[in-house]
Amino acid sequence: MDARLRRVNKEITDCKNDKSSNIKIDLIDESPFHLKGSFPGPQDTPYEGGHFEVDIVIPESYPFQPVKMKFITKVYHPNVSSASGAICLDILKDAWSPVLTLKSTLISLQSLLCSPEPNDPQDAEVAKHFTTSKRSFEETARYWTQIYAGGPGGIAKSGKSPEAVRDDVAIAGLEKAHVDQFEAIGFERGKVIDVLRRLNYRGANVANISEDRVVEELLK
Amino acid sequence: MSSDYEYSDDDIDYSDEDDEMMDTQEDGSASSDDDMDMDAFNEDFKVPSKAMRKTYEIEYDTLTQTAVEKAMAADIEHISGIFGVDASVASLLLRYLSWNKERLIEKYMDNASAVSISAGISPPSRSSVSSSAAPIRSHSSSTGGRSSGGLRRPTRQTPGKSRSPTPASVYPDAPSAAPKPEPFVCPICFDDSQTSFLSLSCDHQFCAGCWGAYLTSKIREEGEHSIRCMAEGCAIVAPDPFVRSALADDIPTWERFQELVVRHFVASNPSLKYCPYPSCTHTVSCPVAAHKSALTTIVPIVSCGASGTHKFCFGCPIEADHRPVICSVAKMWLKKCRDDSETANWIKSNTKECSQCQSTIEKNGGCNHMTCKKCKHEFCWVCMGPWSEHGTAWYSCNRYDEKTGVDARDAQSKSRASLERYLHYYNRWANHEQSAKLSIELYSKTEKKMEEMQVTSDLTWIEVQFMKKAVDEVEKCRTTLKWTYAMAYYLEKGNEKELFEDNQRDLERAVEDLSELLESQIDTEIISTLRQKVTDKTVYVQKRNEIMLEDTAKGFLDGRWSWNVSVEGFD
C-alpha cells in the first residue's frame, strides 16, 4: 500500500478512536487526500462555543511536505485571513516536521486561536484592530463566532435576520454611532463601513483620524 | 584606490593578511600554521603568471567542477585538522558559517559547544560536553564498517557527540545495551513491517524508507544542503555520510545533494563565481574583484575554461564584455537607454519647444499657426518665429532668415541640447552594436566565397583565414567602441575626456576603414593585395583597441576619470 495512503488512513482512524481531544476529521468526498477537520473554539477566548471547520489538502509528498490547511469557517483572528481563511502558522510552512499529524496540526490551530500573534499577521486589518483595542477586537471575534461558527446566542441558524443592518457594523468591528454619523452626511452605508474598517476607526485610534480624512477617503 | 590590485602573482596569497581579515581563503591559509594544506589549496587558485599582463586584463583563474570540489575539500580538511573533528562535522560547521573559515575558527575557539549546537551537530542538552563535535569517528569501528558520519542504528548506540558515554553505549553490542522496544513502529509511516531504522545523534528514530523519502523531498524540492532531523523542533543536521547511506541507491539525488553543497560553497565565496552560460560547470576564481570597492577601478571581464566564448563580467550580470567602462557606469547607461531612448527619439522627431516658455509641443494637425496652450504665445511651426510677423497671410513662411525666427530656433536648440547630447551618444552606441551584428552576417557570406576560392584557386585554407580574424577583431573593437560612448556620455568635460575621445576617434576610424575593406569585392586577382591590406589593418586596429583599453584601465587605477553625475563608489 502507498505509504501516504497508509499514513492518512491511520491518522483518520486514530482520530476517530480518540474521544478526548474533540478533534474530528471527515472525508469531503471519496478521496482520502481532501479532508475536513473540525474542532471547538478554545475556552476563555472569543471563539468559545464556536465550531470551526478546516479544509485539509494532503500534498503528494506528505508527510515530508506540510499539509495544506485553511479555515472554511470565517474567523476573526490576526493570523487568519478574514476573506479566504488562509492561515499564517510556522508549522504549516518551514517549521513543519514529518512527525506532525493532522490531529496535532489541528490542535496547533486550536491553540493559535488562544494566542494570536499580531506581529506576524495574515490579515493586517484585523491585526491593527487587535493592537488598537483588544476589547473591541474580542467583541468582534465573539460576534463572528456567533454568526459564522454557531457560537452562543448565535443567529446563524435563524436565517435572514431582521438585524441585518446591525450585523454589518458589528462584523466590521465598528461602533454604530460612528457609522451613523457619516451615513448622516449622505454617504452610502456600505461604503462608510468599508472606509472606517480600512482606516481602523476604532478605540483610541478614532482620536487620531480627523473627520476630514474620513470624508476624503469616502469621496475617493 | 583599492590595494587589492597591486599584488603580483607571487605574493597574492599573503598580501592582505593585515587589512582584510574577513577576506577569503588566502588569508585563512596565511594565518594558519598548516603549511602543507595551504600550499595544495593555493595551487588551485593560483593564477598562472603571464609574462605581460595588460592593465585592462585582470587576474583570474578558471576551475573545473573537480577543482572546486578539491578546494572545498581542502577547506574541510583544514578545519577538520585544526579542530580535530571529523570531516563531515567540519563540513557542517563550515556550511553553518557560510564557509567563512576565520569566523568559524574564532567562534569555535571561543565557544565550541555553542557553535556545535547552532550548527546542528550536537543536541542542546549535551551542551555541557564541550569540544565534542568530532567524536563520531571514534565509534566508527563499532558501527561495523559504516565509517564516520553519525549514522546510527536503532541499537541505542551513543550519540557520537559525547566523549563520556555510558558504558552501554560505548559497546553497543554488549548485553547491557538497552533493548529495542518491541515492536518499534516508525512514527511517520506507521508501517510495522519496517525493520531498518536510522537516527541522527539526537536518537530520533525513523524507518530507512521515511528517511530516504524525506531527504529526497528536501533535496529535490527545496534544494536544501543542510537537512534537519525529522522530529519536530529538532535542530540536528544530517551529516553527509548519513545522507549518503540513507539515500541508499538513489545516486542521482546524492549527486544533486553534493552539487547543492558545492553551489553553497561557491555562492558563499566572494572570489568565486559560476560561469553563467547554460549548463556550463566551470567556476572562475577572481580574488581581485571579490570586493565591491574594487569595481570602481577594474572591469573584471573573465572567461571560463570551458570555452573562450564563455565570457562574462565577474562584477555584474549586465553584459558579457563592457570594457572599458566600469560596472556601475555601464549599468547606469543601460538603464538610461531602456528608460529614455524611445521616448527621446519620439520627442525629437515629433515635437518642438515653444520659443517662449519651452513647453514641449506636438503638432497634431492643422495649420502652422501655433498657439502655446501654456503661455498663449503664437508662433509659426515652420520657422518658429512669432506669428505676428507673418501678418494675415494664411501661410507664407518664406522668412527663414528673419532675425526673430533665428533667435527662436536658437532658444529651442539650447533647450534641446541635453536631449541631443544624449541622442548623439546613444545613436553611436546603438550603431556599433548594430554594425557588429551586421559584420558577422557579412562574414558568413564572405566565408562561402572564400571556400569557393579555395577550390578554384591555389589558395590554402590557412591563407583565407585572414577574413575570419579581421571580422573577429572588428566585432571585438565595436564592442569596445560601443561602451566608450556610454563612458564618454558620463565623463566630465576636460583634458582627460578629450584624450579619451581622441583614442576613441582613432579606434573608430581604424575600425571603419577595416570594415570597409571587408566589404570590398573579392576576386582572385586582387586577393593577395587585399589580404595584405586586411592583415595590416587588422593588426593596426588591434593595436588601437589595446591602447584604448589600456589607457582607460590605467585611468581608473590612477583615478583620472571624473564623472558628470554621481557614480556609485566615487565620492
PDB file of all heavy atoms in Angstrom, chain A residues 3 6-7 10-11 14 61 63-65 91 94-95 97-101, chain B residues 187-191 206 209-210 213-214 217-218 221-222 230-233:
ATOM      1  N   ALA A   3       2.507   4.457   0.948  1.00  0.00           N
ATOM      2  CA  ALA A   3       2.840   4.897   2.309  1.00  0.00           C
ATOM      3  C   ALA A   3       2.000   6.092   2.749  1.00  0.00           C
ATOM      4  O   ALA A   3       1.575   6.183   3.897  1.00  0.00           O
ATOM      5  CB  ALA A   3       4.331   5.250   2.385  1.00  0.00           C
ATOM      6  N   ARG A   6      -1.485   4.882   3.607  1.00  0.00           N
ATOM      7  CA  ARG A   6      -1.500   4.149   4.867  1.00  0.00           C
ATOM      8  C   ARG A   6      -1.456   5.124   6.044  1.00  0.00           C
ATOM      9  O   ARG A   6      -2.208   5.026   6.990  1.00  0.00           O
ATOM     10  CB  ARG A   6      -0.314   3.199   4.926  1.00  0.00           C
ATOM     11  CG  ARG A   6      -0.257   2.437   6.249  1.00  0.00           C
ATOM     12  CD  ARG A   6       0.873   1.452   6.292  1.00  0.00           C
ATOM     13  NE  ARG A   6       2.124   2.062   5.903  1.00  0.00           N
ATOM     14  CZ  ARG A   6       2.905   1.598   4.940  1.00  0.00           C
ATOM     15  NH1 ARG A   6       2.566   0.524   4.270  1.00  0.00           N
ATOM     16  NH2 ARG A   6       4.031   2.205   4.635  1.00  0.00           N
ATOM     17  N   ARG A   7      -0.564   6.086   5.890  1.00  0.00           N
ATOM     18  CA  ARG A   7      -0.412   7.033   6.986  1.00  0.00           C
ATOM     19  C   ARG A   7      -1.693   7.834   7.189  1.00  0.00           C
ATOM     20  O   ARG A   7      -2.146   8.015   8.314  1.00  0.00           O
ATOM     21  CB  ARG A   7       0.770   7.958   6.689  1.00  0.00           C
ATOM     22  CG  ARG A   7       0.702   9.227   7.467  1.00  0.00           C
ATOM     23  CD  ARG A   7       1.952   9.614   8.159  1.00  0.00           C
ATOM     24  NE  ARG A   7       1.711  10.935   8.740  1.00  0.00           N
ATOM     25  CZ  ARG A   7       2.596  11.631   9.383  1.00  0.00           C
ATOM     26  NH1 ARG A   7       3.798  11.141   9.575  1.00  0.00           N
ATOM     27  NH2 ARG A   7       2.303  12.823   9.868  1.00  0.00           N
ATOM     28  N   LYS A  10      -4.378   5.783   8.776  1.00  0.00           N
ATOM     29  CA  LYS A  10      -4.117   5.566  10.197  1.00  0.00           C
ATOM     30  C   LYS A  10      -4.452   6.822  10.999  1.00  0.00           C
ATOM     31  O   LYS A  10      -5.030   6.744  12.067  1.00  0.00           O
ATOM     32  CB  LYS A  10      -2.656   5.167  10.396  1.00  0.00           C
ATOM     33  CG  LYS A  10      -2.240   5.113  11.860  1.00  0.00           C
ATOM     34  CD  LYS A  10      -1.284   3.979  12.116  1.00  0.00           C
ATOM     35  CE  LYS A  10      -0.629   4.027  13.486  1.00  0.00           C
ATOM     36  NZ  LYS A  10      -1.533   4.115  14.618  1.00  0.00           N
ATOM     37  N   GLU A  11      -4.089   7.955  10.437  1.00  0.00           N
ATOM     38  CA  GLU A  11      -4.356   9.210  11.140  1.00  0.00           C
ATOM     39  C   GLU A  11      -5.859   9.417  11.330  1.00  0.00           C
ATOM     40  O   GLU A  11      -6.312   9.849  12.383  1.00  0.00           O
ATOM     41  CB  GLU A  11      -3.776  10.392  10.355  1.00  0.00           C
ATOM     42  CG  GLU A  11      -2.272  10.486  10.482  1.00  0.00           C
ATOM     43  CD  GLU A  11      -1.760  11.844  10.029  1.00  0.00           C
ATOM     44  OE1 GLU A  11      -2.417  12.851  10.373  1.00  0.00           O
ATOM     45  OE2 GLU A  11      -0.743  11.879   9.327  1.00  0.00           O
ATOM     46  N   ASP A  14      -7.083   6.877  13.985  1.00  0.00           N
ATOM     47  CA  ASP A  14      -6.621   7.308  15.311  1.00  0.00           C
ATOM     48  C   ASP A  14      -7.498   8.423  15.847  1.00  0.00           C
ATOM     49  O   ASP A  14      -7.852   8.456  17.025  1.00  0.00           O
ATOM     50  CB  ASP A  14      -5.172   7.808  15.246  1.00  0.00           C
ATOM     51  CG  ASP A  14      -4.192   6.640  15.246  1.00  0.00           C
ATOM     52  OD1 ASP A  14      -4.661   5.488  15.296  1.00  0.00           O
ATOM     53  OD2 ASP A  14      -2.975   6.904  15.173  1.00  0.00           O
ATOM     54  N   SER A  61       3.654  14.718  -1.595  1.00  0.00           N
ATOM     55  CA  SER A  61       4.813  14.254  -0.843  1.00  0.00           C
ATOM     56  C   SER A  61       4.587  14.291   0.672  1.00  0.00           C
ATOM     57  O   SER A  61       5.533  14.294   1.441  1.00  0.00           O
ATOM     58  CB  SER A  61       6.036  15.089  -1.217  1.00  0.00           C
ATOM     59  OG  SER A  61       5.696  16.444  -1.286  1.00  0.00           O
ATOM     60  N   PRO A  63       4.084  12.745   4.198  1.00  0.00           N
ATOM     61  CA  PRO A  63       4.226  13.774   5.241  1.00  0.00           C
ATOM     62  C   PRO A  63       5.550  14.534   5.183  1.00  0.00           C
ATOM     63  O   PRO A  63       5.911  15.169   6.156  1.00  0.00           O
ATOM     64  CB  PRO A  63       4.171  12.939   6.507  1.00  0.00           C
ATOM     65  CG  PRO A  63       4.811  11.661   6.129  1.00  0.00           C
ATOM     66  CD  PRO A  63       4.523  11.439   4.681  1.00  0.00           C
ATOM     67  N   PHE A  64       6.254  14.451   4.062  1.00  0.00           N
ATOM     68  CA  PHE A  64       7.557  15.124   4.040  1.00  0.00           C
ATOM     69  C   PHE A  64       7.430  16.593   3.661  1.00  0.00           C
ATOM     70  O   PHE A  64       8.336  17.378   3.870  1.00  0.00           O
ATOM     71  CB  PHE A  64       8.508  14.351   3.125  1.00  0.00           C
ATOM     72  CG  PHE A  64       8.595  12.915   3.551  1.00  0.00           C
ATOM     73  CD1 PHE A  64       8.005  11.899   2.814  1.00  0.00           C
ATOM     74  CD2 PHE A  64       9.202  12.586   4.755  1.00  0.00           C
ATOM     75  CE1 PHE A  64       8.043  10.590   3.255  1.00  0.00           C
ATOM     76  CE2 PHE A  64       9.242  11.282   5.197  1.00  0.00           C
ATOM     77  CZ  PHE A  64       8.658  10.277   4.453  1.00  0.00           C
ATOM     78  N   GLN A  65       6.306  16.918   3.082  1.00  0.00           N
ATOM     79  CA  GLN A  65       5.987  18.334   2.862  1.00  0.00           C
ATOM     80  C   GLN A  65       4.731  18.625   3.684  1.00  0.00           C
ATOM     81  O   GLN A  65       3.904  17.733   3.877  1.00  0.00           O
ATOM     82  CB  GLN A  65       5.705  18.591   1.376  1.00  0.00           C
ATOM     83  CG  GLN A  65       6.932  18.421   0.475  1.00  0.00           C
ATOM     84  CD  GLN A  65       7.957  19.518   0.669  1.00  0.00           C
ATOM     85  OE1 GLN A  65       7.605  20.679   0.819  1.00  0.00           O
ATOM     86  NE2 GLN A  65       9.232  19.156   0.692  1.00  0.00           N
ATOM     87  N   ILE A  91       4.268  26.022  11.547  1.00  0.00           N
ATOM     88  CA  ILE A  91       4.356  24.580  11.273  1.00  0.00           C
ATOM     89  C   ILE A  91       3.689  24.193   9.952  1.00  0.00           C
ATOM     90  O   ILE A  91       3.903  23.105   9.440  1.00  0.00           O
ATOM     91  CB  ILE A  91       3.771  23.712  12.416  1.00  0.00           C
ATOM     92  CG1 ILE A  91       2.306  24.038  12.657  1.00  0.00           C
ATOM     93  CG2 ILE A  91       4.591  23.844  13.671  1.00  0.00           C
ATOM     94  CD1 ILE A  91       1.592  22.901  13.353  1.00  0.00           C
ATOM     95  N   ASP A  94       7.782  26.416   7.069  1.00  0.00           N
ATOM     96  CA  ASP A  94       9.121  25.854   7.219  1.00  0.00           C
ATOM     97  C   ASP A  94       9.348  25.077   8.506  1.00  0.00           C
ATOM     98  O   ASP A  94      10.283  24.311   8.601  1.00  0.00           O
ATOM     99  CB  ASP A  94      10.204  26.931   7.035  1.00  0.00           C
ATOM    100  CG  ASP A  94       9.723  28.297   7.429  1.00  0.00           C
ATOM    101  OD1 ASP A  94       8.790  28.768   6.752  1.00  0.00           O
ATOM    102  OD2 ASP A  94      10.253  28.874   8.382  1.00  0.00           O
ATOM    103  N   ALA A  95       8.496  25.285   9.516  1.00  0.00           N
ATOM    104  CA  ALA A  95       8.722  24.547  10.762  1.00  0.00           C
ATOM    105  C   ALA A  95       8.007  23.195  10.747  1.00  0.00           C
ATOM    106  O   ALA A  95       7.921  22.525  11.770  1.00  0.00           O
ATOM    107  CB  ALA A  95       8.273  25.380  11.952  1.00  0.00           C
ATOM    108  N   SER A  97       7.296  19.370  10.461  1.00  0.00           N
ATOM    109  CA  SER A  97       8.100  18.174  10.650  1.00  0.00           C
ATOM    110  C   SER A  97       7.227  16.987  10.255  1.00  0.00           C
ATOM    111  O   SER A  97       6.025  16.968  10.544  1.00  0.00           O
ATOM    112  CB  SER A  97       8.519  18.063  12.116  1.00  0.00           C
ATOM    113  OG  SER A  97       8.665  16.708  12.464  1.00  0.00           O
ATOM    114  N   PRO A  98       7.805  15.981   9.622  1.00  0.00           N
ATOM    115  CA  PRO A  98       7.006  14.824   9.200  1.00  0.00           C
ATOM    116  C   PRO A  98       6.365  14.092  10.381  1.00  0.00           C
ATOM    117  O   PRO A  98       5.460  13.279  10.183  1.00  0.00           O
ATOM    118  CB  PRO A  98       8.028  13.915   8.517  1.00  0.00           C
ATOM    119  CG  PRO A  98       9.165  14.790   8.154  1.00  0.00           C
ATOM    120  CD  PRO A  98       9.200  15.868   9.178  1.00  0.00           C
ATOM    121  N   VAL A  99       6.849  14.382  11.571  1.00  0.00           N
ATOM    122  CA  VAL A  99       6.288  13.723  12.746  1.00  0.00           C
ATOM    123  C   VAL A  99       4.920  14.293  13.094  1.00  0.00           C
ATOM    124  O   VAL A  99       4.080  13.632  13.704  1.00  0.00           O
ATOM    125  CB  VAL A  99       7.268  13.897  13.942  1.00  0.00           C
ATOM    126  CG1 VAL A  99       6.698  13.314  15.189  1.00  0.00           C
ATOM    127  CG2 VAL A  99       8.596  13.261  13.602  1.00  0.00           C
ATOM    128  N   LEU A 100       4.678  15.525  12.696  1.00  0.00           N
ATOM    129  CA  LEU A 100       3.394  16.150  12.990  1.00  0.00           C
ATOM    130  C   LEU A 100       2.277  15.428  12.233  1.00  0.00           C
ATOM    131  O   LEU A 100       2.486  14.938  11.125  1.00  0.00           O
ATOM    132  CB  LEU A 100       3.424  17.628  12.591  1.00  0.00           C
ATOM    133  CG  LEU A 100       4.386  18.492  13.403  1.00  0.00           C
ATOM    134  CD1 LEU A 100       4.525  19.853  12.761  1.00  0.00           C
ATOM    135  CD2 LEU A 100       3.895  18.619  14.826  1.00  0.00           C
ATOM    136  N   THR A 101       1.100  15.401  12.859  1.00  0.00           N
ATOM    137  CA  THR A 101      -0.019  14.715  12.226  1.00  0.00           C
ATOM    138  C   THR A 101      -1.139  15.710  11.967  1.00  0.00           C
ATOM    139  O   THR A 101      -1.072  16.861  12.399  1.00  0.00           O
ATOM    140  CB  THR A 101      -0.565  13.613  13.142  1.00  0.00           C
ATOM    141  OG1 THR A 101      -1.011  14.242  14.350  1.00  0.00           O
ATOM    142  CG2 THR A 101       0.503  12.580  13.450  1.00  0.00           C
TER     143      THR A 101
ATOM    144  N   PRO B 187       7.164   6.372  13.512  1.00  0.00           N
ATOM    145  CA  PRO B 187       6.079   7.318  13.789  1.00  0.00           C
ATOM    146  C   PRO B 187       5.650   8.118  12.564  1.00  0.00           C
ATOM    147  O   PRO B 187       4.752   8.952  12.657  1.00  0.00           O
ATOM    148  CB  PRO B 187       6.684   8.220  14.865  1.00  0.00           C
ATOM    149  CG  PRO B 187       8.141   8.119  14.681  1.00  0.00           C
ATOM    150  CD  PRO B 187       8.430   6.768  14.143  1.00  0.00           C
ATOM    151  N   ILE B 188       6.271   7.892  11.433  1.00  0.00           N
ATOM    152  CA  ILE B 188       5.888   8.646  10.248  1.00  0.00           C
ATOM    153  C   ILE B 188       5.020   7.824   9.310  1.00  0.00           C
ATOM    154  O   ILE B 188       3.944   8.245   8.906  1.00  0.00           O
ATOM    155  CB  ILE B 188       7.131   9.189   9.524  1.00  0.00           C
ATOM    156  CG1 ILE B 188       7.746  10.293  10.379  1.00  0.00           C
ATOM    157  CG2 ILE B 188       6.781   9.750   8.151  1.00  0.00           C
ATOM    158  CD1 ILE B 188       9.084  10.755   9.938  1.00  0.00           C
ATOM    159  N   CYS B 189       5.469   6.621   8.996  1.00  0.00           N
ATOM    160  CA  CYS B 189       4.680   5.846   8.035  1.00  0.00           C
ATOM    161  C   CYS B 189       3.780   4.818   8.722  1.00  0.00           C
ATOM    162  O   CYS B 189       2.909   4.235   8.092  1.00  0.00           O
ATOM    163  CB  CYS B 189       5.594   5.170   7.022  1.00  0.00           C
ATOM    164  SG  CYS B 189       6.741   4.016   7.787  1.00  0.00           S
ATOM    165  N   PHE B 190       3.966   4.584  10.014  1.00  0.00           N
ATOM    166  CA  PHE B 190       3.172   3.610  10.776  1.00  0.00           C
ATOM    167  C   PHE B 190       3.214   2.226  10.144  1.00  0.00           C
ATOM    168  O   PHE B 190       2.259   1.473  10.212  1.00  0.00           O
ATOM    169  CB  PHE B 190       1.708   4.056  10.892  1.00  0.00           C
ATOM    170  CG  PHE B 190       1.550   5.364  11.586  1.00  0.00           C
ATOM    171  CD1 PHE B 190       0.867   6.412  10.978  1.00  0.00           C
ATOM    172  CD2 PHE B 190       2.073   5.558  12.854  1.00  0.00           C
ATOM    173  CE1 PHE B 190       0.724   7.621  11.616  1.00  0.00           C
ATOM    174  CE2 PHE B 190       1.919   6.777  13.506  1.00  0.00           C
ATOM    175  CZ  PHE B 190       1.248   7.815  12.877  1.00  0.00           C
ATOM    176  N   ASP B 191       4.295   1.960   9.466  1.00  0.00           N
ATOM    177  CA  ASP B 191       4.391   0.662   8.804  1.00  0.00           C
ATOM    178  C   ASP B 191       5.148  -0.277   9.733  1.00  0.00           C
ATOM    179  O   ASP B 191       6.337  -0.134   9.949  1.00  0.00           O
ATOM    180  CB  ASP B 191       5.141   0.850   7.468  1.00  0.00           C
ATOM    181  CG  ASP B 191       5.217  -0.445   6.690  1.00  0.00           C
ATOM    182  OD1 ASP B 191       4.758  -1.478   7.226  1.00  0.00           O
ATOM    183  OD2 ASP B 191       5.727  -0.417   5.558  1.00  0.00           O
ATOM    184  N   PHE B 206      13.583   6.816  12.914  1.00  0.00           N
ATOM    185  CA  PHE B 206      12.569   6.675  11.870  1.00  0.00           C
ATOM    186  C   PHE B 206      13.029   5.586  10.942  1.00  0.00           C
ATOM    187  O   PHE B 206      14.222   5.270  10.880  1.00  0.00           O
ATOM    188  CB  PHE B 206      12.401   7.984  11.114  1.00  0.00           C
ATOM    189  CG  PHE B 206      12.101   9.150  12.003  1.00  0.00           C
ATOM    190  CD1 PHE B 206      13.105  10.035  12.353  1.00  0.00           C
ATOM    191  CD2 PHE B 206      10.827   9.330  12.529  1.00  0.00           C
ATOM    192  CE1 PHE B 206      12.843  11.093  13.204  1.00  0.00           C
ATOM    193  CE2 PHE B 206      10.568  10.389  13.381  1.00  0.00           C
ATOM    194  CZ  PHE B 206      11.571  11.288  13.718  1.00  0.00           C
ATOM    195  N   GLY B 209      13.060   3.949   5.034  1.00  0.00           N
ATOM    196  CA  GLY B 209      12.254   4.393   3.895  1.00  0.00           C
ATOM    197  C   GLY B 209      11.821   5.837   4.057  1.00  0.00           C
ATOM    198  O   GLY B 209      11.869   6.634   3.117  1.00  0.00           O
ATOM    199  N   CYS B 210      11.382   6.193   5.270  1.00  0.00           N
ATOM    200  CA  CYS B 210      10.935   7.570   5.514  1.00  0.00           C
ATOM    201  C   CYS B 210      12.105   8.538   5.410  1.00  0.00           C
ATOM    202  O   CYS B 210      11.970   9.623   4.867  1.00  0.00           O
ATOM    203  CB  CYS B 210      10.275   7.685   6.873  1.00  0.00           C
ATOM    204  SG  CYS B 210       8.613   7.011   6.869  1.00  0.00           S
ATOM    205  N   ALA B 213      12.761   9.103   1.767  1.00  0.00           N
ATOM    206  CA  ALA B 213      11.749   9.949   1.129  1.00  0.00           C
ATOM    207  C   ALA B 213      11.887  11.404   1.581  1.00  0.00           C
ATOM    208  O   ALA B 213      11.752  12.345   0.794  1.00  0.00           O
ATOM    209  CB  ALA B 213      10.366   9.422   1.474  1.00  0.00           C
ATOM    210  N   TYR B 214      12.190  11.558   2.874  1.00  0.00           N
ATOM    211  CA  TYR B 214      12.326  12.905   3.440  1.00  0.00           C
ATOM    212  C   TYR B 214      13.519  13.637   2.828  1.00  0.00           C
ATOM    213  O   TYR B 214      13.413  14.772   2.371  1.00  0.00           O
ATOM    214  CB  TYR B 214      12.493  12.770   4.954  1.00  0.00           C
ATOM    215  CG  TYR B 214      12.841  14.043   5.686  1.00  0.00           C
ATOM    216  CD1 TYR B 214      11.899  15.061   5.814  1.00  0.00           C
ATOM    217  CD2 TYR B 214      14.092  14.209   6.277  1.00  0.00           C
ATOM    218  CE1 TYR B 214      12.214  16.216   6.508  1.00  0.00           C
ATOM    219  CE2 TYR B 214      14.405  15.361   6.975  1.00  0.00           C
ATOM    220  CZ  TYR B 214      13.462  16.361   7.088  1.00  0.00           C
ATOM    221  OH  TYR B 214      13.774  17.512   7.770  1.00  0.00           O
ATOM    222  N   SER B 217      12.877  14.552  -0.743  1.00  0.00           N
ATOM    223  CA  SER B 217      11.972  15.702  -0.859  1.00  0.00           C
ATOM    224  C   SER B 217      12.696  17.007  -0.544  1.00  0.00           C
ATOM    225  O   SER B 217      12.516  18.020  -1.225  1.00  0.00           O
ATOM    226  CB  SER B 217      10.780  15.465   0.070  1.00  0.00           C
ATOM    227  OG  SER B 217      10.264  16.662   0.558  1.00  0.00           O
ATOM    228  N   LYS B 218      13.552  16.973   0.480  1.00  0.00           N
ATOM    229  CA  LYS B 218      14.293  18.194   0.855  1.00  0.00           C
ATOM    230  C   LYS B 218      15.298  18.587  -0.228  1.00  0.00           C
ATOM    231  O   LYS B 218      15.477  19.767  -0.519  1.00  0.00           O
ATOM    232  CB  LYS B 218      15.050  17.966   2.172  1.00  0.00           C
ATOM    233  CG  LYS B 218      14.170  18.025   3.391  1.00  0.00           C
ATOM    234  CD  LYS B 218      13.860  19.461   3.751  1.00  0.00           C
ATOM    235  CE  LYS B 218      12.871  19.542   4.891  1.00  0.00           C
ATOM    236  NZ  LYS B 218      12.381  20.888   5.139  1.00  0.00           N
ATOM    237  N   GLU B 221      13.037  19.018  -3.864  1.00  0.00           N
ATOM    238  CA  GLU B 221      12.040  20.081  -3.938  1.00  0.00           C
ATOM    239  C   GLU B 221      12.506  21.389  -3.326  1.00  0.00           C
ATOM    240  O   GLU B 221      12.112  22.452  -3.756  1.00  0.00           O
ATOM    241  CB  GLU B 221      10.724  19.621  -3.285  1.00  0.00           C
ATOM    242  CG  GLU B 221      10.005  18.621  -4.170  1.00  0.00           C
ATOM    243  CD  GLU B 221       8.762  18.058  -3.516  1.00  0.00           C
ATOM    244  OE1 GLU B 221       8.051  18.823  -2.855  1.00  0.00           O
ATOM    245  OE2 GLU B 221       8.528  16.838  -3.673  1.00  0.00           O
ATOM    246  N   GLU B 222      13.316  21.312  -2.269  1.00  0.00           N
ATOM    247  CA  GLU B 222      13.681  22.555  -1.600  1.00  0.00           C
ATOM    248  C   GLU B 222      15.132  22.948  -1.809  1.00  0.00           C
ATOM    249  O   GLU B 222      15.542  24.033  -1.413  1.00  0.00           O
ATOM    250  CB  GLU B 222      13.374  22.452  -0.099  1.00  0.00           C
ATOM    251  CG  GLU B 222      11.874  22.344   0.166  1.00  0.00           C
ATOM    252  CD  GLU B 222      11.569  22.066   1.624  1.00  0.00           C
ATOM    253  OE1 GLU B 222      12.244  22.636   2.498  1.00  0.00           O
ATOM    254  OE2 GLU B 222      10.668  21.259   1.890  1.00  0.00           O
ATOM    255  N   MET B 230      13.998  14.778  11.308  1.00  0.00           N
ATOM    256  CA  MET B 230      12.561  14.866  11.029  1.00  0.00           C
ATOM    257  C   MET B 230      11.723  15.185  12.256  1.00  0.00           C
ATOM    258  O   MET B 230      10.592  15.600  12.144  1.00  0.00           O
ATOM    259  CB  MET B 230      12.090  13.547  10.406  1.00  0.00           C
ATOM    260  CG  MET B 230      12.508  13.378   8.964  1.00  0.00           C
ATOM    261  SD  MET B 230      11.574  12.068   8.171  1.00  0.00           S
ATOM    262  CE  MET B 230      12.537  10.650   8.653  1.00  0.00           C
ATOM    263  N   ALA B 231      12.285  14.961  13.429  1.00  0.00           N
ATOM    264  CA  ALA B 231      11.499  15.190  14.641  1.00  0.00           C
ATOM    265  C   ALA B 231      11.173  16.673  14.772  1.00  0.00           C
ATOM    266  O   ALA B 231      11.956  17.533  14.380  1.00  0.00           O
ATOM    267  CB  ALA B 231      12.271  14.709  15.855  1.00  0.00           C
ATOM    268  N   GLU B 232      10.005  16.939  15.340  1.00  0.00           N
ATOM    269  CA  GLU B 232       9.564  18.321  15.449  1.00  0.00           C
ATOM    270  C   GLU B 232      10.513  19.111  16.344  1.00  0.00           C
ATOM    271  O   GLU B 232      10.836  18.687  17.455  1.00  0.00           O
ATOM    272  CB  GLU B 232       8.157  18.365  16.030  1.00  0.00           C
ATOM    273  CG  GLU B 232       7.530  19.722  15.884  1.00  0.00           C
ATOM    274  CD  GLU B 232       6.312  19.868  16.785  1.00  0.00           C
ATOM    275  OE1 GLU B 232       5.919  18.873  17.416  1.00  0.00           O
ATOM    276  OE2 GLU B 232       5.763  20.978  16.843  1.00  0.00           O
ATOM    277  N   GLY B 233      10.971  20.256  15.841  1.00  0.00           N
ATOM    278  CA  GLY B 233      11.802  21.153  16.631  1.00  0.00           C
ATOM    279  C   GLY B 233      13.221  20.675  16.850  1.00  0.00           C
ATOM    280  O   GLY B 233      13.998  21.322  17.537  1.00  0.00           O
TER     281      GLY B 233
END
